[in-house]
Amino acid sequence: MNTATRETIQRHGYSRVLVELDQDGTITEAQSLELSGLFKEPNFQNEKVELGHEGTLSVAIGASQKRLTTDQPNPEGSPNFEPRLRLYPNLGLALGIVDEAGLEALEKSRVTVRIFEINPTSLVEPFDQLPGRRTTMLSPALHQLKIPTLWDLGLTGLGVLVGHMDSGIDATHPSLVGAVKSFVAYDLNGDLIASGEPYESDSTVSHGTHTAGIIVGRESELGNFGVAPGATLASAMVISGGDVVARMLAGFEWITTTNAKIVNGSIGLAGVNQSFEVIVKALRKRDILPIFAIGNEGAGISRYPGNYQGVLSVGACDANGRVAPLSGSQVFQGTENRIVPSIIAPGIKILSSSQGGKLKKLSGTSQAAPHVTGLCALLKEAMPTASANDLESAIKLSCSLNPAESIYRGNRGVPDALKAHSILTAGYMS
C-alpha cells in the first residue's frame, strides 16, 4: 500500500500527500485534531520541494512550520509560513508533508480513506496567440453551436452564476463590465490574498480574461463573442505557477461555498492521477457540474481532472467539426471502457477578451470548454430546476460527430444548442 509514496520517503525522507478523509458532511473538530497529530514535521533541512510547474520552492523547517520562499515576494497580508497541514473541509481533503512515521499513522487512522502522492504538475497552455480586432460580426463559434437560436428564445443566462477557475479576470474590460459577482485570489502558496476587486494575474496570455469572455462576454463596441452574456461569474484566481495543487484545492473549496451550479476549469494536470477524484465527487454531491478542458497534447494523452468519470470533458474542434490535432484524447480500457473527452467544441483561433481592453485569438481546449459552460448557463436559465445530471445528459444527447472524424478523438461530437434545449425542456434524459 502506498508503495510509490514510501519510495519517495526512502529517497528524500518525506513525501507530499493528499489525503481523502472519511467524512459525512464537513470535517469535524475531532477529525481535525487527529489529523493535526498525524502530520509530523519531516526531518529534513534546506531541501528543494517541487510544488509547481514553474520551478521549486525552497523549504526551511522551523519549530512547527516550514517557510516557503519564491522568486516573487509574498503579497501584502499573505502568511509567511506554510502550515504543515491544510484542510479543505467541504472537499473532504487534507494536504501536507509526511515522513515514514506520519505515513504509517495516516494508513492506520480511522479518518483516512485514501492517500495520494502529489507530484510536480504542469498546466494546459494555449496555442496560436494572435491579436484580435474589433468586429461587428458574431463569433463563428456561436453559430457553430447554434447559440443564437437560444438567444431568440430570450435566453441569455440571466440569473445563473458560473464558477470560473483560472488566472483571474480583468473585470474592467468592456466585454466583462458587470460580469463578475464574486472573486477570490490565492498566492503562490495557496493562501487567500484577495477577495473583492478582480484582477488578471496572467499578463502574457490573459488566460482567465479570455475564457471568461467566452462564457459571459457582453456585447460591446469590441465585438460579440460571449455565449451567456446575462450570466455572472464566481471567479477564483488559482493559476499559474507556485503550488498549483494547493491553489486549485483552495479554489474548489471556495466554489462549493457559492451558489454556482456549473464550474469551468480550463485547467488540467498532466497524466492520469486519481488524487482529485474526491473533488469531483464533492462537486457532484452539491449538484455542481464540472466542465474541464481535456488538454492540448494531442491523441493518446489527457489531463486530470478532465479525464475523470463525473466530469463533462471537452476537446477542441475546428469550424467543420474536425478534431484539432492539438486536442487531447484517450481510451480507458478494462473496467471503465470509456473515451475522453466527452464531447468537442470550437477551440481554434477563438476571439475573446484580453487584459487592458484588448482582444486576442487563442486556440486550445481551454477555449472549447467555456463554450460548453456558457451553453450550460443558457440551459440552466431555461430550466432552473435542472440538475447537473440533466444538463450533462441534454448536452451529450444533442451532439453529433463529423462522419469523417474518429469516435476515439471526438467521442459524441459537437453540441447543438437548440436540440439540447428541446431535450432538456421535454424532460427526456438518459
Side-chain angles (χ1 to χ4, degrees):
M1 188 166 62
N2 298 303
T3 303
T5 307
R6 281 195 160 76
E7 290 176 353
T8 300
I9 291 174
Q10 288 173 3
R11 288 195 305 270
H12 301 291
Y14 63 90
S15 177
R16 193 159 190 252
V17 295
L18 184 66
V19 181
E20 181 181 353
L21 305 174
D22 183 13
Q23 62 164 32
D24 182 15
T26 58
I27 299 170
T28 66
E29 184 177 355
Q31 290 173 323
S32 177
L33 288 172
E34 180 174 345
L35 282 167
S36 296
L38 297 181
F39 279 84
K40 307 294 185 180
E41 283 295 352
N43 182 24
F44 64 92
Q45 296 275 343
N46 299 322
E47 294 279 356
K48 292 283 189 179
V49 180
E50 295 182 353
L51 298 178
H53 80 294
E54 292 187 357
T56 59
L57 299 177
S58 299
V59 177
I61 296 303
S64 62
Q65 295 173 316
K66 68 181 190 300
R67 183 183 181 90
L68 301 185
T69 59
T70 70
D71 292 335
Q72 302 179 27
N74 282 347
E76 185 177 354
S78 178
N80 289 325
F81 291 94
E82 167 80 359
R84 64 182 177 184
L85 169 66
R86 289 183 181 274
L87 284 176
Y88 305 95
N90 292 337
L91 300 178
L93 291 171
L95 178 67
I97 296 176
V98 294
D99 56 13
E100 180 65 31
L103 179 62
E104 290 182 2
L106 280 172
E107 290 174 336
K108 296 175 182 178
S109 171
R110 57 184 175 83
V111 177
T112 302
V113 176
R114 290 186 295 177
I115 302 169
F116 302 96
E117 182 175 37
I118 296 300
N119 297 310
T121 61
S122 61
L123 295 164
V124 179
E125 301 293 343
F127 286 73
D128 297 330
Q129 292 189 51
L130 302 171
R133 298 178 180 177
R134 66 176 62 199
T135 177
T136 58
M137 301 291 290
L138 193 66
S139 170
L142 301 180
H143 286 299
Q144 187 176 357
L145 295 172
K146 300 183 181 178
I147 297 301
T149 64
L150 297 194
W151 292 350
D152 290 343
L153 298 177
L155 300 173
T156 64
L158 187 65
V160 178
L161 180 66
V162 177
H164 177 245
M165 297 274 290
D166 219 296
S167 63
I169 181 172
D170 178 2
T172 66
H173 193 282
S175 299
L176 293 170
V177 173
V180 183
K181 184 175 182 179
S182 54
F183 173 81
V184 292
Y186 297 94
D187 69 9
L188 295 181
N189 296 322
D191 292 310
L192 181 67
I193 56 172
S195 180
E197 265 325 290
Y199 68 96
E200 170 65 75
S201 68
D202 184 359
S203 59
T204 302
V205 180
S206 293
H207 193 278
T209 299
H210 198 268
T211 59
I214 297 171
I215 302 170
V216 298
R218 278 76 167 124
E219 184 176 6
S220 73
E221 70 274 13
L222 295 179
N224 190 1
F225 40 75
V227 178
T232 55
L233 296 178
S235 182
M237 191 272 281
V238 297
I239 58 172
S240 289
D243 189 346
V244 176
V245 172
R247 299 177 81 188
M248 288 177 62
L249 289 171
F252 281 119
E253 178 77 10
W254 175 73
I255 288 291
T256 65
T257 68
T258 72
N259 291 320
K261 293 301 179 183
I262 307 159
V263 59
N264 184 84
S266 289
I267 51 180
L269 307 179
V272 179
N273 188 307
Q274 296 178 313
S275 59
F276 274 24
E277 282 183 345
V278 67
I279 296 175
V280 173
K281 286 194 283 185
L283 294 174
R284 298 303 294 239
K285 182 178 180 180
R286 289 166 171 78
D287 201 29
I288 300 171
L289 178 61
I291 301 172
F292 282 91
I294 198 61
N296 295 338
E297 282 79 27
I301 303 175
S302 63
R303 287 178 171 256
Y304 72 95
N307 54 23
Y308 288 169
Q309 287 184 314
V311 166
L312 183 56
S313 58
V314 187
C317 68
D318 64 16
N320 297 313
R322 297 302 303 270
V323 177
L326 60 83
S327 185
S329 62
Q330 195 163 358
V331 178
F332 292 93
Q333 297 178 333
T335 57
E336 294 180 279
N337 288 324
R338 61 189 180 91
I339 302 167
V340 294
S342 310
I343 62 176
I344 54 177
I348 302 302
K349 295 181 181 178
I350 301 299
L351 181 72
S352 186
S353 44
S354 181
Q355 189 176 10
K358 299 178 183 179
L359 297 174
K360 182 176 286 189
K361 288 184 178 180
L362 296 176
S363 298
T365 57
S366 284
Q367 283 58 56
H371 280 104
V372 177
T373 300
L375 172 55
C376 276
L378 297 179
L379 297 177
K380 186 68 174 177
E381 181 194 3
M383 185 172 285
T385 59
S387 68
N389 288 338
D390 292 338
L391 295 172
E392 182 179 24
S393 294
I395 287 176
K396 286 181 176 178
L397 289 169
S398 79
C399 291
S400 61
L401 184 65
N402 186 317
E405 193 55 76
S406 166
I407 188 174
Y408 298 109
R409 292 286 281 135
N411 204 347
R412 294 172 180 84
V414 182
D416 180 314
L418 185 58
K419 186 175 180 181
H421 176 268
S422 298
I423 292 170
L424 183 69
T425 54
Y428 174 68
M429 301 296 158
S430 65

